[in-house]
Amino acid sequence: MESSVYFGSDGWWHGRVTMGVKGDGSPDRRHRRARTEPEIKRKVKELERQRDEGRATKVGRKPTVAKWMETYLTDIASLKLKPRSLDDYWSKTRNDIIPGVGQHRIDKLQPEHLERMYRAMLDEGHAPSHVVKVHRILSRALKIAHRRRIISENVATLVDPPSVDETEANPFTKDESKSFLEAAAKRPTFMRWIVGVGMGFRQGETLGLRWSYVDLEAELFHPKWQLQRLTWRHGCDDPHGCGSRLHRFEPCPPNCTAHKSYKRGCPKPCPKTCTKHASACPERKEGGLVFTRPKTKKSQNPVPIPPVFIPFLHDHKAAQEEMRATAGELWQEHEVVFSRPDGRPLDPRQDYEEFKELLVEAGIDDRRLYDGSRHTAGTILNELGVDMPTIMEILRHTQISQTRRYVKGRSHLSKDAMRRMGEFFVPGPQRPTQAPTETRTETADTRAARSKRRRRVR
C-alpha cells in the first residue's frame, strides 16, 4: 500500500498510489503527475487521504451526465418517485439537462457549465421556477453519484440557481364564489364544483373520487385515490423503430400550418436516438387516465362533508343511476362519483376548459384552477374565523407553514382589525351611563349573610 514518486523521462514528476483492488482482483493503482516534486507529493498525499477516509471515487471510466441521468431515472428514481413526478423528471432531463451539459463526463462537470446552462435557459424564455426545478433534479442525481463515490463532489451545491418570486394566490371572494357556483348550477357537473370550491379538493382528488370511498351516513369523504394522466411507455423491444413514422428530425418552417392549433407552438425536432411516440405503440402501457395514490399519507385523511351537501349528493347519485340505465350496454363501470354519460371518469383537460368557461359566465377575471378551489376554501375558512390548525386538517397539509401560503388576507378584514387597534389606543367618547333605577322588590339575603348577622348580634 506504499505510494511511489519518481521523475520520468518525459520531464514530468509521476506519483502512483495503491487504492485497493479492482473488481477482478488486480491492484487499483491511481496515477498523478505534476511539473515539480512538491506538487506531485501534495497530489499523492491528497489521494492517500481520500483513500484512508473512504472518500475515494470508484475505479473505472466515469459516465457522461446524459448516461448517468438515464441510469438514475431508470434504476434509482423510478423506485421512489410517483409516476407523474417521474414523467416530469424525464421531460426536463430530455429537453434541458442533456442538451445543456449531457456530453460532459460526470467527474469533469464544473459549476461554470451549470451556470451557462441556466443562463441560456433564461435567455430562451424559461421561467426562473422552471430553471430551479432543473437544478434540483440535477443536484439530486449528482448527490446520489457522490454518495456512491462515483464523483468526489456534487458541483450543483456550488451553484446558486435563479431566485423565484412566489406566485401570489388569487382566490375567489365570497361573492365571486357564489357567482361561480350559480353559473355551475346550470351544468350537470354542478356537484363537482361544489366539492372543489366548497371543500378545497384538488382536481385529481375530485375526479378520482369513487362511491366506495364516500360515507354518506358518517358524512365523510375518503380521498384514497386521484385521477391523473400519465405518459404512455413503449411495451415493445425497439422503441426507436416503433415510432419511426412519427420521427421529425428537422425543425418546422417559420409559417408552419401543421401545428397552428398547438397552444405551445410547434414541437421540437426529435433527437437522432428518439424513443418517444409511445402513444402509437401497439403494446403501449402505463399511460392515459389512471388512478394513483395521493402524494403523501396526510392527503388520504378523511374530510368531513358539510351536512347541507348531503341532499345534493343523494340527488346526484340518483341522477347517475338514471344515466346508467339510459346508457345500457355502453356504460363502463368505474364507480366514480363524477362521470361522463358513459360512466368513464371526467377528462382533466375538459374539466379545466369548463372551469375557464365558468369564469367567463360568472364575470370573474381569469385565474388558476388551484386559486378557485384550494386557495378559495382556505381563505374563506379563515374569514369565517376557523383557526389555522383546523384549516390545515381540512386541506390535509403536512405543515402549517404550507397552509399559511394558501390563506390570503383580505383588505376589508385588515381595515376592520386596524380600526379596532385604533380604538384600543384612542378610545372614542363614552356613552352616558343611565341612572340607577329604584326597585320595589328587596333582594333576599343568602344563608351565609344571615349566619354572619346572627353571629354579630350574639
Side-chain angles (χ1 to χ4, degrees):
M1 301 295 289
E2 292 184 359
S3 306
S4 58
V5 176
Y6 60 92
F7 184 75
S9 58
D10 56 354
W12 288 78
W13 283 90
H14 297 265
R16 298 189 180 274
V17 183
T18 303
M19 306 297 291
V21 293
K22 299 180 181 178
D24 58 358
S26 59
D28 178 14
R29 294 276 287 179
R30 307 284 176 93
H31 173 256
R32 295 291 185 271
R33 71 172 187 170
R35 282 295 185 184
T36 62
E37 185 177 6
E39 186 179 359
I40 191 62
K41 287 183 177 180
R42 180 185 59 79
K43 290 185 176 182
V44 168
K45 288 182 179 180
E46 176 62 25
L47 200 56
E48 290 175 342
R49 186 181 302 110
Q50 293 180 7
R51 177 196 63 192
D52 298 338
E53 295 177 357
R55 297 186 296 107
T57 59
K58 291 184 178 181
V59 67
R61 185 174 178 83
K62 303 301 183 289
T64 61
V65 175
K67 185 64 178 177
W68 173 247
M69 289 301 302
E70 182 180 354
T71 302
Y72 166 70
L73 295 177
T74 304
D75 302 332
I76 303 173
S78 60
L79 302 177
K80 184 177 181 180
L81 294 178
K82 297 290 184 179
R84 190 73 174 269
S85 300
L86 185 62
D87 288 345
D88 186 52
Y89 274 45
W90 272 111
S91 175
K92 289 179 172 55
T93 299
R94 287 192 300 260
N95 298 326
D96 300 305
I97 296 177
I98 292 179
V101 294
Q103 300 307 312
H104 287 284
R105 255 177 51 181
I106 193 172
D107 59 330
K108 300 295 183 181
L109 192 63
Q110 298 296 324
E112 295 78 11
H113 300 150
L114 303 186
E115 292 167 346
R116 282 196 292 267
M117 179 180 70
Y118 298 158
R119 180 72 264 167
M121 292 174 62
L122 292 174
D123 293 340
E124 291 175 0
H126 289 290
S129 58
H130 179 90
V131 179
V132 170
K133 289 181 181 179
V134 172
H135 172 77
R136 289 174 180 171
I137 294 172
L138 182 58
S139 179
R140 178 63 182 172
L142 294 178
K143 181 180 179 180
I144 299 297
H146 178 243
R147 186 184 298 171
R148 300 187 178 190
R149 300 176 188 171
I150 300 175
I151 55 178
S152 59
E153 186 178 22
N154 181 2
V155 297
T157 59
L158 308 178
V159 178
D160 292 330
S163 57
V164 180
D165 296 332
E166 186 175 351
T167 304
E168 186 177 359
N170 188 20
F172 293 156
T173 63
K174 291 181 179 179
D175 293 337
E176 289 175 340
S177 302
K178 293 180 179 179
S179 300
F180 182 86
L181 293 179
E182 287 175 0
K186 304 173 185 177
R187 297 174 179 250
T189 55
F190 172 59
M191 278 308 302
R192 178 263 177 272
W193 300 112
I194 281 284
V195 173
V197 178
M199 301 185 63
F201 271 47
R202 302 176 180 91
Q203 184 194 36
E205 294 171 345
T206 307
L207 302 185
L209 196 62
R210 287 183 278 187
W211 287 113
S212 54
Y213 298 97
V214 178
D215 192 345
L216 294 178
E217 295 183 0
E219 299 180 354
L220 289 175
F221 277 145
H222 297 272
K224 297 292 185 180
W225 296 90
Q226 60 182 351
L227 185 70
Q228 287 187 329
R229 186 185 299 278
L230 303 182
T231 304
W232 287 104
R233 304 186 186 280
H234 282 279
C236 57
D237 298 331
D238 185 14
H240 178 73
C242 180
S244 58
R245 64 183 182 85
L246 300 174
H247 291 327
R248 293 174 49 259
F249 301 110
E250 298 296 333
C252 293
N255 298 323
C256 175
T257 58
H259 308 105
K260 61 181 180 180
S261 60
Y262 282 38
K263 295 182 179 180
R264 298 183 179 181
C266 297
K268 294 182 179 180
C270 300
K272 297 300 181 182
T273 58
C274 177
T275 57
K276 296 188 295 185
H277 314 296
S279 59
C281 178
E283 302 177 11
R284 63 182 185 178
K285 59 181 181 179
E286 301 177 7
L289 294 178
V290 297
F291 290 97
T292 62
R293 290 288 187 184
K295 192 172 184 179
T296 62
K297 187 177 181 180
K298 183 84 172 180
S299 299
Q300 302 182 31
N301 288 354
V303 181
I305 306 174
V308 71
F309 289 179
I310 299 298
F312 290 98
L313 286 171
H314 281 294
D315 295 342
H316 176 75
K317 191 172 185 179
Q320 195 177 63
E321 292 294 335
E322 294 179 3
M323 283 197 306
R324 179 186 286 105
T326 303
E329 298 180 354
L330 300 178
W331 182 266
Q332 301 179 28
E333 186 59 63
H334 293 276
E335 295 186 357
V336 289
V337 177
F338 310 110
S339 64
R340 307 182 203 183
D342 60 355
R344 292 180 299 163
L346 296 177
D347 191 326
R349 294 172 182 170
Q350 296 179 357
D351 181 76
Y352 178 79
E353 295 295 336
E354 185 178 19
F355 172 75
K356 295 297 183 180
E357 294 173 2
L358 290 173
L359 289 179
V360 176
E361 294 178 10
I364 304 174
D365 57 343
D366 188 37
R367 62 194 65 189
R368 301 177 304 170
L369 178 57
Y370 231 57
D371 290 334
S373 55
R374 290 180 71 75
H375 287 291
T376 296
T379 302
I380 293 181
L381 285 171
N382 183 53
E383 293 179 7
L384 295 176
V386 182
D387 54 49
M388 281 293 173
T390 305
I391 298 177
M392 182 182 71
E393 290 300 320
I394 293 174
L395 298 182
R396 292 159 288 130
H397 290 153
T398 56
Q399 297 179 352
I400 200 168
S401 59
Q402 185 180 8
T403 306
R404 290 194 178 98
R405 292 200 300 269
Y406 275 66
V407 176
K408 182 179 180 181
R410 297 295 192 189
S411 58
H412 67 276
L413 295 179
S414 302
K415 187 175 181 179
D416 180 66
M418 295 310 295
R419 178 186 59 77
R420 289 183 281 131
M421 187 75 166
E423 292 177 354
F424 170 78
F425 286 108
V426 185
Q430 296 183 356
R431 297 179 180 178
T433 58
Q434 297 180 354
T437 58
E438 182 180 358
T439 177
R440 296 183 179 181
T441 59
E442 185 178 353
T443 304
D445 293 339
T446 62
R447 177 182 296 181
R450 292 194 298 270
S451 300
K452 185 177 181 180
R453 188 164 52 251
R454 283 196 298 270
R455 287 195 298 272
R456 189 181 304 113
V457 170
R458 294 196 189 101

